[in-house]
Amino acid sequence: MAGSRHIGTQGARYTHYTHGQEPAVLASHGRRTAENSAAYLLPYLSPGMSVLDVGCGTGTITLDLAEAVAPGDAEAFTSGKVVGIDASDEPLQIARENAAARGDQRTQFQRGNIMALDYEASTFDVVHAHQVLQHLDDPVGALAEMIRVCKPGGLVAARDADYGGMFWSPELPQLAKWRELYCKIARRNGGEPDAARFMRKWASEAVTRAGHSAGTAHPTSGSQITLSSSSWIYATSEATAAWGQSQAARVSGPSFRGQATELGTTEAETDAIAESWRAWGESPDATFAIPHVELLIRV
């Protein structure tokens, strides 16, 4: 794909990040690994590949991907680089600290915008995004931009959740209120919390948009789209207690509370949702499942 023109910026903006960058959010993101969040991608990675991780957050997935393409040390990494980008400085600082703790000196963490990636066309072998598309008002443009910077024959990979498909037990009424409220907030911010169910549609449109933007040769016309699914499940006493406390902290934090208040939710109602999360986490039979759809585009 020749040229370096950004193609994901057709009126799109970097949407407000609904979760915010509060300690409870960053701590939760810090528990993500390539094994529990990008297992569908790992079989396609090999030493020497270059990787861009878009919306890298605290960098735990990025650093795992780096280990897959440059095992041991930087000497094995000869044909490219591993870069994680995020729109916010707070998670990037933690990502750099995580890299230092691992002794990783090869992975770069930079400020960046998925809607206008600061790279030439055909730069990376793999372009990855985890739980990013759901927060954007133009996910098609974002995927098209990811395709632009991916080398011919490379992979664009994305995984996103579906809030409407989440289920839990016991079915406490306030948790249903939480989902309804979160989805209202996310959509007001321009996102789509049920992103997983739209991944195939977004991918098809992104391939078309990327091809049109690249010129009449339509270099993306042979792109192959593959979808799979997996889920996170919290179903042990330790996992549910931690998830319940984490969600209670998020609900109680200024980001969610402030946005809920703007939609007419009272302080008492927000407090009740947080307390319901704690109660759910303490239930001996608690279960919470989050479905995901995984997307691979072979460019």
Side-chain angles (χ1 to χ4, degrees):
M1 288 177 285
S4 60
R5 184 164 61 92
H6 301 307
I7 57 178
T9 55
Q10 301 178 11
R13 56 193 173 86
Y14 222 144
T15 345
H16 176 78
Y17 184 53
T18 297
H19 296 302
Q21 302 291 354
E22 297 165 12
V25 174
L26 297 177
S28 177
H29 291 177
R31 289 189 284 271
R32 296 174 179 175
T33 67
E35 184 177 358
N36 65 34
S37 299
Y40 72 103
L41 176 59
L42 292 178
Y44 298 93
L45 302 181
S46 58
M49 285 184 167
S50 55
V51 178
L52 175 64
D53 190 17
V54 181
C56 65
T58 59
T60 49
I61 297 175
T62 321
L63 293 168
D64 285 350
L65 298 179
E67 188 61 33
V69 300
D73 56 44
E75 293 181 4
F77 192 70
T78 58
S79 64
K81 56 186 177 181
V82 178
V83 181
I85 67 168
D86 203 274
S88 301
D89 291 327
E90 296 96 325
L92 288 173
Q93 179 58 37
I94 296 175
R96 295 183 185 111
E97 293 170 0
N98 287 335
R102 292 194 189 196
D104 183 317
Q105 299 181 2
R106 71 206 152 203
T107 306
Q108 304 171 35
F109 291 103
Q110 304 168 351
R111 189 85 178 261
N113 184 345
I114 190 174
M115 306 310 303
L117 295 171
D118 193 22
Y119 303 101
E120 294 292 322
S122 305
T123 297
F124 296 93
D125 295 301
V126 176
V127 186
H128 168 264
H130 182 266
Q131 303 277 35
V132 174
L133 299 179
Q134 64 179 274
H135 299 291
L136 305 176
D137 66 354
D138 184 13
V140 173
L143 283 170
E145 185 70 345
M146 292 168 68
I147 291 170
R148 181 185 68 80
V149 301
C150 188
K151 295 178 182 178
L155 279 174
V156 169
R159 182 176 190 254
D160 247 293
D162 194 298
Y163 275 71
M166 292 178 180
F167 64 86
W168 55 84
S169 177
E171 296 184 358
L172 305 181
Q174 290 300 324
L175 295 193
K177 173 66 175 177
W178 159 80
R179 175 163 57 186
E180 178 185 0
L181 183 55
Y182 175 85
C183 290
K184 285 182 179 179
I185 292 171
R187 291 189 173 108
R188 187 193 64 166
N189 289 337
E192 177 46 73
D194 294 338
R197 67 188 68 185
F198 298 108
M199 297 283 271
R200 183 181 181 188
K201 176 178 184 291
W202 291 347
S204 297
E205 293 177 0
V207 167
T208 299
R209 186 184 298 187
H212 287 166
S213 297
T216 56
H218 295 287
T220 60
S221 60
S223 297
Q224 297 178 341
I225 297 170
T226 304
L227 293 109
S228 57
S229 64
S230 62
S231 63
W232 287 337
I233 188 163
Y234 302 89
T236 67
S237 296
E238 181 181 9
T240 55
W243 186 244
Q245 289 295 332
S246 174
Q247 292 300 307
R250 290 194 193 196
V251 169
S252 300
S255 181
F256 184 92
R257 185 181 292 273
Q259 294 177 92
T261 299
E262 290 172 1
L263 289 179
T265 305
T266 66
E267 293 284 325
E269 288 172 329
T270 301
D271 289 341
I273 293 173
E275 183 54 38
S276 189
W277 269 116
R278 296 187 189 95
W280 171 85
E282 294 171 359
S283 172
D285 300 316
T287 301
F288 196 98
I290 305 175
H292 295 81
V293 166
E294 303 146 346
L295 166 68
L296 289 173
I297 304 174
R298 179 70 73 178
V299 177

